[in-house]
Amino acid sequence: MSEKLWAGRFTQPTDAFVEEFTASINFDRRMYHYDILGSVTHARMLARQGIISGDEAETIVQGLQGILAEIEAGDFEFTVAREDIHMNIEARLIEKIGAVGGKLHTARSRNDQVALDVRLYLRDEIDAIAQALGTLQAALLDQAEKNLDVIMPGYTHLQTAQPVLFAHHLLAYFEMLARDTGRLHDLRSRLNHLPLGAGALAGTTFAIDREWVAEQLGFAGVTRNSLDTVSDRDFALEFCSFASILMMHLSRLSEELILWSSADFAFIELSDAFCTGSSIMPQKKNPDVPELVRGKTGRTYGNLISILTLMKSLPLAYNKDMQEDKEPLFDTIDTVRGSLKVFAGMIAEMRVNLEQMRIAAGRGFSTATDIADYLVRKGLPFRNAHEVVGKTVRFCVENEKSIPELTLEEFRQFSADIDGDIFSYVTLEASVNARKATGGTAREAVEKEIILARQALKESSP
Ligand code: ARG
């Protein structure tokens, strides 16, 4: 038999460069395990249905297991002449067990085979990523719990706004990651249907049992339309969308870690294990890890756009263009896994400088809103209270004072409604702890959220 599994209708060999150009083996080989798993199950189904004999199936399964062992031992020779992972394995099978190996591809096409391989591979990666997300969320919760008394400035427009608990700020990222995990579960459930049985595009003339194969491979069901099945890459797109949003979240945390670890902020110190030095400036300790994660967000978006653009306007059903889905998808998986892994360690080891955070939280008249709220409770309309406090802040700016440094007389220049108790409202603790409503930054509210978050995390991890 010729080297090429499809050589029958050809009279000339493939141009050597075209062979290189069209091959996907250099990147799709990472799916070998799933290709073999799918083939083993397919062969067993063919025997159960009487399409091949039990002995033939057994020989095929043994052969495939031998190939798996060869690949894992590094003894398998992948070749571009055999184009992709599917034909590298099938050709090797025929080499090993003879003509009976040629029966494996009965009632199957590479078009439904590749859809199966990618779904199986991605499903396992999704499960590993869900776990990694949980690990990072747990690291955020640990830091939140450990630093429950640390107050930092909250910002809008990167200008000091109101004091918040550092734990509250960390829990904001917990929430983002919880939504990411939700998206991951959603897309997994849509992906989890067996494509095998669609054949090249129209289905198969053999009496196959798709439901049995689906059950064996842990799918929730089978796909419903053969044309759609071999044309569909929504699962790759949904995964890349999930990844883009996740990386956007990580890029925001990256940016904050970079700012916070600068000498000017000095809110945190990243562990040496997650930083590098400069080749010229001996004092430097650079936050390379968050910088790289921030940077890698770009390639993740690019990968999403690549696959969207690749799929745009493709006529049904399979087109070779679709082979181009793999590198962006695999790169996205690697990027997400790497970023989550490095982040979990970095967050766990981050040290917090509570004094610096506290000093910064006291700057910028961060408790001004609390004076306004105080006046509102005394019966002033909020707009008037806002005006009073605006004037108070201007007085502070002109006299180089902070709000708690004002005397009662100075306070009362702007409103006679202000009494001696004002001083108990303008401390950082009072400001933070006054925000008790669910979702607010008060210590008791945040403590409650940490408990709920721990519970949610326990329930979502298997
Ligand atoms: N290597 C191909 C891919 O990744 C497998 C499917 C090939 N099918 C075909 N009809 N050429 O898309």
Side-chain angles (χ1 to χ4, degrees), residues 47-299:
R48 276 173 60 90
Q49 298 301 102
I51 300 166
I52 63 174
S53 76
D55 285 351
E56 288 169 335
E58 203 37 51
T59 311
I60 289 171
V61 169
Q62 298 274 311
L64 287 167
Q65 276 156 359
I67 291 172
L68 182 62
E70 285 172 16
I71 296 175
E72 297 201 316
D75 292 339
F76 188 94
E77 202 197 326
F78 293 100
T79 71
V80 288
R82 289 172 178 177
E83 199 175 317
D84 57 24
I85 187 61
H86 325 297
M87 291 196 294
N88 267 263
I89 289 175
E90 194 187 332
R92 177 73 187 125
L93 180 69
I94 295 167
E95 221 170 63
K96 271 172 88 84
I97 65 171
V100 63
K103 295 202 171 188
L104 171 62
H105 212 49
T106 310
R108 190 176 74 172
S109 153
R110 271 188 298 154
N111 297 349
D112 54 356
Q113 189 179 357
V114 70
L116 173 69
D117 291 8
V118 179
R119 283 179 193 239
L120 284 173
Y121 167 70
L122 185 54
R123 193 177 65 184
D124 273 2
E125 291 294 332
I126 285 171
D127 293 344
I129 289 167
Q131 276 232 322
L133 271 164
T135 306
L136 175 54
Q137 284 181 294
L140 287 167
L141 285 183
D142 290 345
Q143 283 285 9
E145 213 160 51
K146 219 163 61 190
N147 294 289
L148 204 44
D149 291 309
V150 177
I151 298 178
M152 68 179 289
Y155 300 94
T156 60
H157 313 266
L158 207 58
Q159 305 288 316
T160 307
Q162 292 169 352
V164 294
L165 289 187
F166 180 58
H168 194 53
H169 198 113
L170 293 178
L171 286 186
Y173 285 100
F174 180 94
E175 290 299 312
M176 295 175 223
L177 298 181
R179 290 195 295 274
D180 290 325
T181 305
R183 272 183 279 276
L184 198 58
H185 286 145
D186 286 354
L187 77 96
R188 188 193 194 279
S189 70
R190 272 185 295 279
L191 165 151
N192 201 25
H193 296 272
L194 175 81
L196 215 56
L201 75 163
T204 175
T205 56
F206 294 93
I208 58 170
D209 185 348
R210 298 186 67 204
E211 283 72 16
W212 184 82
V213 176
E215 212 183 289
Q216 295 298 304
L217 294 174
F219 286 108
V222 302
T223 57
R224 310 306 315 178
N225 179 290
S226 62
L227 288 167
D228 174 51
T229 300
V230 293
S231 304
D232 172 31
R233 292 294 180 270
D234 288 3
F235 45 86
L237 282 169
E238 286 195 44
F239 177 80
C240 288
S241 311
F242 146 81
S244 295
I245 298 175
L246 165 64
M247 291 299 291
M248 176 271 287
H249 292 149
L250 295 185
S251 80
R252 296 182 74 170
L253 182 50
S254 294
E255 175 72 10
E256 300 204 300
L257 295 176
I258 294 162
L259 277 175
W260 294 345
S261 59
S262 69
D264 310 87
F265 275 81
F267 286 2
I268 59 161
E269 195 181 340
L270 296 175
S271 152
D272 284 2
F274 294 88
C275 296
T276 64
S278 156
S279 56
I280 172 168
M281 296 167 284
Q283 84 284 13
K284 291 295 291 283
K285 175 171 158 184
N286 295 326
D288 290 41
V289 166
E291 288 176 290
L292 264 179
V293 169
R294 188 177 58 180
K296 283 177 188 292
T297 306
R299 71 197 285 158

Side-chain angles (χ1 to χ4, degrees), residues 12 20 26 34 104 120 141 215 265 303 348 412:
Q12 276 185 17
E20 283 277 348
N26 288 328
Y34 302 96
L104 171 62
L120 284 173
L141 285 183
E215 212 183 289
F265 275 81
N303 290 339
R412 288 175 63 90

